[in-house]
Structure formats: C-alpha cells, structure tokens
Amino acid sequence: NAQELRALRRRVGFVFQQFNLVKSHTVLRNVLNGRLGHRGLAAALLGRFEAEDEAKALEAIQAVGLGGREHSYCAAMSGGQQQRVAIARVLAQEPDLILADEPTASLDPKLTTSVLGLLRRINQERGISILLNLHEIELAKDYCDRVIALRAGKLIWDGRPDEMSEARLEEIYKLSDEELEAL
C-alpha cells in the first residue's frame, strides 16, 4: 500500500551524481527537503517544517562541514559544496541505507577524496549502511569494506578490497564472447 511504500522510501536515502539540488534555494531549504517524508502531504506541499526538522537539518549541515553556510544559495557553491549539501539532505532524512550513484563523478580528485572520506565517516560514526556505485577500482579499494562486481545484472564477484588482485580484476573485466561480438 502507499503508506508502506512511503515508510520504505523514508528509510532509503539517495546521493546522486548531479546533486539534484534546487539551486535557487538556500542550503537550509535544500536540506529540509530531506525531511519531507516525515511530514504529512499538506505540510510537504506547502514546504512547512517543524522546529525539529530545522534542528535536524542544521545538525546535518554542520556534520558535512558547511556550518555557517545554511543561508547561502546553492547556485553560488562549488561542486564539492553542492555534493555536501546533497549528503546533508540525506542525513536529515535519517535513512537506514544510503545509495550513492557515482557521488564523485562530477568532482576533481581532491574533492573526490573529501566526499568519499565524509561518506566513510558517516558509515562509521552513524552506522548507516552505504552502497556506492563506483567505477574506479582504486577508490573502491581505498574507501570500501566490501566490493561487489556485477555484469549484466549478475553478481560475478563479492569480496574484500584487499582481495582485488590484478588477476581478479582481469577476470572481472574480461568480456564474454557474446560481449566481444557485440563490439
């Protein structure tokens, strides 16, 4: 039913490649959007939030290192700052699981390490499970506790990052005869 689906959606947060922020809104307003699943339909449509929502949003903004920037407009922020706003929005949602689809694809290497370090800290300190979709093996080795390799929707490997040998990588990235023919 719709109520169960809404409850499930509230438990799963998303961090997207392109941030998905309303750039004409402030950091606080964007982070408050993470609280919409905790409000009734009328309050959500009107954008009305309780003091508890604002306190949770401000705490999330602080947690991602943007304290003092809550009234800044997202359009004027760097890509790394915008991704931190997106992460704060997810934290304000209070999910049990965060799905992050290439969360550093739009960032330079320095910002990449900063954002992945932040996600790792969130996992460790808050106990929130995070499922990252990464295509850079070295980043997976550096920031993940477990690596899962999929091909055509099928699991082809599941293990620890320290088990990712060159031979294992060749096996994972080896194309099947059908895939080679399709090229």
Side-chain angles (χ1 to χ4, degrees):
N1 78 34
Q3 191 172 12
E4 290 171 346
L5 181 59
R6 184 173 178 207
L8 177 62
R9 286 181 178 156
R10 189 171 46 233
R11 295 178 51 215
V12 179
F14 291 90
V15 177
F16 302 94
Q17 279 183 31
Q18 301 302 322
F19 321 131
N20 290 352
L21 301 174
V22 180
K23 292 185 181 177
S24 62
H25 288 176
T26 64
V27 169
L28 179 60
R29 178 69 184 141
N30 272 283
V31 175
L32 280 168
N33 286 338
R35 301 293 303 160
L36 289 172
H38 296 273
R39 296 292 139 234
L41 179 61
L45 289 173
L46 296 172
R48 295 210 175 135
F49 297 95
E50 305 288 331
E52 170 192 2
D53 297 320
E54 189 165 330
K56 287 180 187 292
L58 291 170
E59 187 276 327
I61 292 167
Q62 187 71 33
V64 300
L66 291 175
R69 301 289 309 267
E70 52 273 348
H71 298 295
S72 298
Y73 286 89
C74 291
M77 302 182 101
S78 72
Q81 290 170 325
Q82 288 184 41
Q83 191 61 294
R84 287 176 179 272
V85 173
I87 293 169
R89 178 183 59 210
V90 167
L91 289 178
Q93 182 181 336
E94 299 181 307
D96 298 325
L97 171 67
I98 295 173
L99 303 176
D101 179 25
E102 287 283 332
T104 59
S106 302
L107 305 178
D108 65 42
K110 184 178 178 184
L111 291 174
T112 292
T113 60
S114 175
V115 167
L116 290 176
L118 173 61
L119 289 171
R120 180 170 50 197
R121 193 178 85 232
I122 289 166
N123 168 256
Q124 293 169 345
E125 294 176 2
R126 296 177 182 242
I128 300 172
S129 294
I130 300 176
L131 182 63
L132 288 169
N133 175 22
L134 294 174
H135 294 280
E136 295 183 49
I137 298 301
E138 290 307 313
L139 292 176
K141 285 181 173 181
D142 291 344
Y143 290 95
C144 299
D145 298 326
R146 182 175 169 194
V147 176
I148 297 170
L150 302 172
R151 181 183 298 130
K154 293 189 171 103
L155 178 68
I156 60 171
W157 189 76
D158 181 356
R160 295 187 326 266
D162 61 355
E163 297 172 331
M164 295 290 292
S165 64
E166 286 301 316
R168 176 80 62 202
L169 289 173
E170 284 183 36
E171 177 186 322
I172 289 169
Y173 283 103
K174 180 181 174 185
L175 296 176
S176 69
D177 291 338
E178 295 84 24
E179 291 168 321
L180 286 171
E181 287 177 19
L183 294 177

